[in-house]
Amino acid sequence: AGCPDSLIKELHHFRILGEEQYNRYQRYGAEECVLQMGGVLCPTPGCGAGLLPEPGVRKIVCEPGNGMGCGVRTNIFLLAVWETIDIVPC
């Protein structure tokens, strides 16, 4: 889907996975798009909204609106550090 030699030409073929899996597929695609654009995901449990901070900004607010966002202010530097930490179960 989108690759030159892909046999799947229509992205919605993944609906065959069922509603829950298809929603997970779409959410993963949206998250990956935000990250590829240089954005971050809100770390608040249950939120995960995509945030696209301006260059040089150290803090960003996860603005509530359109059913997304939680209003939490996040330090982007801490997010960058958090993403590099490997969490190992006890």
Side-chain angles (χ1 to χ4, degrees):
C3 297
D5 297 325
S6 177
L7 297 175
I8 300 173
K9 302 298 181 195
E10 171 59 47
L11 296 176
H12 296 290
H13 279 117
F14 291 108
R15 281 201 175 275
I16 196 168
L17 297 172
E19 192 68 25
E20 181 181 343
Q21 292 297 320
Y22 184 71
N23 287 339
R24 287 181 65 194
Y25 159 76
Q26 284 189 311
R27 186 172 50 252
Y28 174 79
E31 289 173 355
E32 187 61 26
C33 181
V34 167
L35 296 175
Q36 291 292 325
M37 293 173 61
V40 294
L41 302 175
C42 179
T44 303
C47 184
L51 308 172
L52 297 170
E54 296 293 327
V57 172
R58 295 185 55 86
K59 292 184 180 181
I60 191 168
V61 175
C62 182
E63 296 288 345
N66 297 328
M68 298 192 72
C70 62
V72 170
R73 178 179 295 270
T74 302
N75 185 312
I76 294 173
F77 172 76
L78 294 178
L79 278 179
V81 171
W82 179 256
E83 290 174 358
T84 63
I85 296 174
D86 289 327
I87 299 176
V88 180
C90 298

